[in-house]
Amino acid sequence: MVSSSGNVRIVEQKATSSLSNAQKTFNRLSKKIAKQREELSAWQTTIPLYQEKYAREFDPLLQSFDDYRVQLVHIFDRLYADKIFSKTDRTKLQHLICAMAADLLDSGEHEELKEIYNRHSGSDYDAEEEQDNQEIKSMMERMLGVELGDDIDMRTPDDFIDQISRQLHEKLHQDAQDFENPPASRSSRKKSAKAMAKEARLQAEAQQVSQSIREVFRKLASTLHPDKEPDPEERARKTELMQRVNSAYSNNDLLALLELQLEIEQIDQAAINSISEDRLKHYNKVLKEQSAELQHELDMVEMSFRTHFDFPPYGALSPTMAVTVLERDIAQIREDIDGLKEDVESLQDPTNLKRWLKAYKIVRRTAFDLDPFSGKF
């Protein structure tokens, strides 16, 4: 969906003149779309680099981090029944065992910890996970206004996000279809003259919008059609340009089509400045729809990224911020691993563990809070 980064805008022709509301709207939407394109392009560039760095540097450290935490769960479970521990000590140990085991199990690995978790929690991990997944699914359905179905796999973030995106696209498409072709039960009702006039006006506007884009496309196609070009080099250039034209047209990307007109000098800035008010009205409708589609795509890319890499669902996030957080997390997990190495060696001694438990405070957290354990004891 991302095309050239140029920002088509209308320029005031005289110092004393001012732009009309339609012209200001055109410029505002053009600027907004250019920014959305840049953001989407930044994500598309950053995500593969982030994934590579994550796999090369963070993943091995995370595996080591989790291995030490698994050892601690087994140590705490093994020592739990030692007579040196009081009832309060055992309560703290159970809290530690359940919290760490649940977090490790949530990663989809370490199935051997389920028996330990179930024994100390007095519940069943699989049943709790199913309940949590159903609650998350219901929340997403309410937020997004879609039905996700019973076959959705909540354990696979990418599949979950893909299905949400697909459902939203289908809903948007169906809403558009319902608008253009009302259901029989609704369309069979007798409409007032005012309602019929409004419907006719909206249909006429939709046709004008489609016609506006089609006219720009036809002008470009007539100029760039490679079959009419005898020179091989020029034919290759026009073929590449025509591919961009076809892509922009298929995406209803009006700005990209206008940018291509400027690029091949089919129009100039004066032509942009003199677009009629009626034409601007249709153009602005196209740009609003284009901006909404770009925003939807941005939201889906960001949601998928947040889910896949365990970023909080809310709060500011940009590609630059994501990379900065990853670099910070790599440095932090190295420190945490060093601390865990010491803990695994020290806390195997019941006396050392009892001394450490004395200072440990149980913090009750909800399912939406961050992991209560940083890995550093």
Side-chain angles (χ1 to χ4, degrees):
M1 290 227 18
V2 181
S3 57
S4 57
S5 60
N7 183 7
V8 179
R9 63 188 301 270
I10 297 171
V11 180
E12 293 182 9
Q13 300 179 51
K14 296 179 181 178
T16 57
S17 65
S18 60
L19 299 180
S20 68
N21 289 335
Q23 289 174 323
K24 290 177 181 177
T25 299
F26 180 91
N27 283 351
R28 176 177 56 80
L29 290 169
S30 178
K31 183 178 181 180
K32 182 179 180 181
I33 288 171
K35 183 179 179 182
Q36 289 171 318
R37 287 174 175 173
E38 289 174 4
E39 291 177 2
L40 189 55
S41 179
W43 277 115
Q44 291 170 339
T45 300
T46 299
I47 287 176
L49 299 176
Y50 185 101
Q51 291 172 327
E52 191 275 332
K53 186 177 182 68
Y54 190 99
R56 175 170 43 85
E57 297 185 43
F58 191 74
D59 252 348
L61 292 171
L62 184 61
Q63 184 62 55
S64 178
F65 175 79
D66 282 351
D67 287 344
Y68 282 114
R69 290 202 296 166
V70 169
Q71 291 182 56
L72 281 175
V73 171
H74 285 291
I75 289 170
F76 295 159
D77 179 52
R78 186 176 70 251
L79 296 179
Y80 175 79
D82 196 297
K83 295 180 179 179
I84 194 174
F85 297 117
S86 66
K87 183 177 179 180
T88 299
D89 292 334
R90 291 194 178 93
T91 298
K92 292 180 178 181
L93 278 174
Q94 280 191 322
H95 179 262
L96 283 163
I97 290 167
C98 292
M100 280 197 291
D103 187 55
L104 288 160
L105 286 165
D106 286 347
S107 69
E109 300 180 1
H110 311 291
E111 290 286 309
E112 76 281 1
L113 297 182
K114 280 186 182 179
E115 185 276 329
I116 295 175
Y117 175 86
N118 292 345
R119 178 157 37 86
H120 285 279
S121 69
S123 59
D124 182 84
Y125 175 83
D126 289 332
E128 289 180 353
E129 183 184 36
E130 178 61 26
Q131 181 178 348
D132 289 344
N133 287 341
Q134 289 301 317
E135 290 177 359
I136 294 172
K137 176 187 167 189
S138 297
M139 180 184 69
M140 295 300 292
E141 287 178 333
R142 289 194 301 271
M143 287 174 57
L144 301 174
V146 297
E147 293 289 338
L148 295 177
D150 295 331
D151 58 340
I152 186 169
D153 188 356
M154 301 288 291
R155 297 167 299 178
T156 309
D158 286 343
D159 291 344
F160 178 51
I161 295 299
D162 285 345
Q163 181 157 346
I164 289 177
S165 180
R166 187 168 58 253
Q167 290 272 9
L168 283 174
H169 275 293
E170 289 175 359
K171 184 175 184 297
L172 289 171
H173 177 72
Q174 187 60 52
D175 288 346
Q177 290 288 97
D178 289 344
F179 177 78
E180 294 176 5
N181 304 292
S185 59
R186 186 174 62 181
S187 60
S188 60
R189 297 174 186 170
K190 187 176 181 180
K191 299 177 182 177
S192 67
K194 185 177 180 180
M196 293 176 65
K198 181 180 179 181
E199 184 176 312
R201 177 173 55 79
L202 291 173
Q203 289 179 350
E205 285 182 1
Q207 291 174 355
Q208 286 288 344
V209 166
S210 178
Q211 182 66 23
S212 296
I213 299 177
R214 194 177 301 115
E215 286 177 7
V216 179
F217 169 75
R218 285 174 176 170
K219 289 178 182 177
L220 284 164
S222 65
T223 301
L224 295 174
H225 205 296
D227 292 346
K228 299 177 181 179
E229 180 56 56
D231 181 77
E233 291 185 6
E234 185 64 9
R235 188 186 307 122
R237 185 184 76 88
K238 287 186 175 181
T239 297
E240 187 273 331
L241 286 169
M242 196 61 209
Q243 288 172 347
R244 289 166 56 190
V245 169
N246 287 329
S247 176
Y249 182 61
S250 65
N251 288 320
N252 281 336
D253 193 340
L254 174 63
L255 282 185
L257 293 172
L258 294 175
E259 288 162 7
L260 281 160
Q261 281 193 298
L262 287 169
E263 183 178 334
I264 68 172
E265 298 181 345
Q266 193 175 64
I267 60 173
D268 56 15
Q269 186 62 53
I272 296 293
N273 294 342
S274 61
I275 298 174
S276 70
E277 289 291 300
D278 284 344
R279 180 57 57 87
L280 277 177
K281 179 182 178 181
H282 302 314
Y283 279 9
N284 288 342
K285 186 174 179 63
V286 175
L287 297 184
K288 286 178 184 177
E289 294 173 354
Q290 186 177 342
S291 177
E293 180 65 23
L294 276 169
Q295 190 59 52
H296 171 75
E297 191 168 351
L298 271 169
D299 291 343
M300 288 298 103
V301 168
E302 186 177 317
M303 185 190 296
S304 177
F305 181 85
R306 286 177 184 269
T307 303
H308 189 82
F309 293 105
D310 293 326
F311 277 80
Y314 303 107
L317 183 64
S318 69
T320 301
M321 289 170 59
V323 173
T324 300
V325 169
L326 179 59
E327 291 173 347
R328 183 200 67 192
D329 287 349
I330 288 172
Q332 182 62 55
I333 200 171
R334 292 185 196 277
E335 293 183 17
D336 292 343
I337 288 171
D338 290 339
L340 283 169
K341 287 180 182 178
E342 297 176 5
D343 293 332
V344 166
E345 294 176 4
S346 173
L347 299 182
Q348 296 190 59
D349 184 329
T351 303
N352 291 340
L353 179 56
K354 184 175 179 63
R355 189 182 306 116
W356 179 83
L357 285 171
K358 186 176 182 179
Y360 179 74
K361 304 292 183 183
I362 293 178
V363 179
R364 300 296 179 186
R365 298 175 184 260
T366 69
F368 295 99
D369 285 327
L370 297 177
D371 174 20
F373 295 93
S374 65
K376 202 169 184 178
F377 293 88

